[in-house]
């Protein structure tokens, strides 16, 4: 009997179930003696030994079902080696459960923090295979993560819908897009929905340039402007501060988020009517797009292949058209950010999109 573990960790996304289905189908078709253990609520389940045995039927009907049937949680990496008040060392607990359950390997579906923990467990001697999840697309070493495409579709729909109401009322509309500290989702959603101004963390903005672009549009007779603003976007002044001061400044901001701050400044400086929309977690909900379903199936199949080839301590990665893999140690703790000099930024600028910097 072979037994492998499976867990989904960190923020959920639309394609987690689709990936688990792809992986399970590949495992069950390649091994007759396979048993899959699903840990509940991410690393929490592995720490507590809270799991369920997942027969092949558990994975039926999952391709188009968003969220995760296993549940998830955020388990901060920095707490991992801290022995809690009750004397529990979480890493030791995970190792113990791995051993007691006689696992061959654990498949970790997760983003940045989760792959960092996956790497730690791999360094501790467990057989680990990572699968790259996040709507933020910020995992280093992979061109794409599953979940990104579906969140992009959702953010685009929001921006598309905002267009018609903005046009009717002649207002400035700001849509705040998720993405944590990076601008992938905002950049792509902004371009795909025809936003006029895109603000991302990698290109700090000057509010005078933003309002200048809006005024210019008004002079050209354009009745409305649409801004796609990343939740992590920062102004040039804030970007100049040290990390600690930046954190302090953002914590003490008088507005709930960057979109509201930018909105208030635009209203004051241009005199135009401004509305802010924050779609939030809607971007992570619903069904995966066809692209994500295909990507998820391929990623699941590749993870099985890594297991078969005993290539542990690696994360499945997307490189162009190929599904490949990289060492977990290479991706752990590293962010993939948007390069402000990237060709996509140049192309966006050349059609007149303003990034608030020049
Ligand atoms: O990492 C995915 C993500 O949706 C980010 O885009 C966002 O900043 C964060 O998670 C929200 O986290 P939570 O669901 O814990 O509020």
């Amino acid at each position: 009997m072979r037994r492998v573990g499976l867990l989904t960790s960190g923020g959920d996304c639309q394609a987690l179930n689709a990936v688990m289905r792809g992986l399970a189908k590949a495992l069950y078709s390649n091994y007759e003696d396979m048993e899959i253990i699903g840990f509940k609520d991410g690393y929490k389940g592995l720490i507590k030994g809270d799991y369920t045995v997942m027969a092949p039927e558990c994975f039926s009907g999952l391709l188009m079902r968003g969220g995760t049937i296993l549940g998830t949680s955020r388990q901060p990496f920095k707490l991992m080696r801290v022995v809690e008040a009750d004397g529990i060392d979480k890493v030791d607990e995970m190792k113990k459960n791995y051993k007691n359950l006689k696992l061959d390997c654990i498949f970790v579906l997760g983003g940045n923090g989760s792959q960092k923990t996956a790497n730690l467990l791999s360094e501790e001697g467990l057989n680990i295979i990572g699968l790259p999840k996040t709507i933020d697309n910020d995992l280093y070493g992979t061109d794409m993560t599953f979940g990104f495409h579906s969140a992009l579709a959702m953010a685009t729909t929001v921006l598309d819908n905002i267009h018609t109401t903005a046009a009717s009322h002649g207002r400035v509309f700001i849509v705040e897009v998720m993405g944590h500290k990076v601008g992938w989702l905002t950049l792509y959603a902004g371009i795909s929905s025809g936003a006029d101004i895109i603000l991302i963390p990698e290109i700090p903005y000057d509010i005078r340039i933003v309002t200048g672009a809006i005024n210019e549009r008004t002079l050209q007779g354009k009745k409305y402007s649409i801004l796609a603003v990343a939740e992590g976007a920062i102004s040039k002044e804030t970007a100049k501060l040290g990390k600690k001061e930046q954190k302090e400044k953002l914590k003490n901001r008088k507005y709930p988020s960057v979109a509201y701050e930018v909105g208030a400044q635009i209203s004051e400086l241009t005199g135009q009517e401004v509305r802010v929309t924050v779609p939030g977690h809607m971007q992570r909900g619903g069904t995966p797009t066809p692209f994500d379903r295909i990507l998820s199936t391929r990623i699941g199949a590749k993870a099985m292949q890594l297991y078969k080839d005993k290539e542990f301590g690696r994360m499945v990665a997307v490189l162009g058209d190929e599904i490949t893999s990289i060492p977990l140690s290479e991706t752990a703790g590293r962010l993939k950010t948007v390069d402000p000099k990237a060709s996509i930024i140049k192309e966006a600028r050349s059609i007149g999109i303003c990034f608030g910097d020049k």
Side-chain angles (χ1 to χ4, degrees), residues 73-193:
S73 62
R74 293 199 184 276
Q75 194 68 41
F77 174 78
K78 49 179 175 271
L79 290 181
M80 281 303 180
R81 261 305 178 192
V82 174
V83 178
E84 311 250 308
D86 53 10
I88 291 174
D89 178 317
K90 292 173 180 174
V91 176
D92 281 349
E93 290 305 297
M94 290 193 279
K95 285 166 73 177
K96 237 187 270 168
N97 284 323
Y98 180 95
K99 220 174 139 203
N100 291 343
L101 286 165
K102 297 192 172 52
L103 294 177
D104 246 4
C105 167
I106 299 180
F107 295 94
V108 175
L109 283 70
N112 267 305
S114 312
Q115 299 304 341
K116 209 167 161 184
T117 305
N119 183 48
L120 170 84
L121 293 178
S122 165
E123 283 171 351
E124 293 279 331
L126 310 194
N127 292 339
I128 306 285
I129 293 171
L131 293 88
K133 171 234 69 177
T134 166
I135 65 160
D136 303 336
N137 198 29
D138 60 354
L139 260 175
Y140 184 86
T142 180
D143 288 352
M144 183 141 322
T145 52
F146 61 85
F148 174 69
H149 200 267
S150 306
L152 168 61
M154 195 57 87
T156 300
T157 301
V158 173
L159 279 147
D160 284 352
N161 290 352
I162 289 297
H163 264 275
T164 55
T165 177
S168 309
H169 289 267
R171 290 168 171 161
V172 172
F173 260 93
I174 302 176
V175 176
E176 185 173 286
V177 181
M178 273 189 168
H180 200 41
K181 292 181 180 156
V182 304
W184 293 106
L185 200 51
T186 310
L187 175 65
Y188 277 61
I191 295 175
S192 75
S193 62

Side-chain angles (χ1 to χ4, degrees), residues 262-318:
V262 168
Q265 290 169 321
I266 293 174
S267 165
E268 193 191 320
L269 295 169
T270 66
Q272 296 205 33
E273 204 179 340
V274 180
R275 292 289 186 274
V276 175
T277 297
V278 182
H281 290 75
M282 227 174 89
Q283 293 163 95
R284 283 187 355 207
T287 59
T289 57
F291 180 92
D292 248 347
R293 294 178 200 186
I294 296 164
L295 183 68
S296 300
T297 306
R298 294 181 69 197
I299 287 177
K302 177 68 182 182
M304 182 283 297
Q305 195 58 49
L306 290 178
Y307 168 76
K308 203 172 184 179
D309 297 341
K310 297 192 180 345
E311 290 206 52
F312 302 116
R314 300 184 73 82
M315 183 185 80
V316 178
V318 182

Side-chain angles (χ1 to χ4, degrees), residues 210-224:
V210 173
T211 52
I214 293 170
N215 288 335
E216 181 62 31
R217 284 178 54 79
T218 311
L219 284 175
Q220 289 167 1
K222 290 171 178 154
K223 270 182 67 190
Y224 68 98

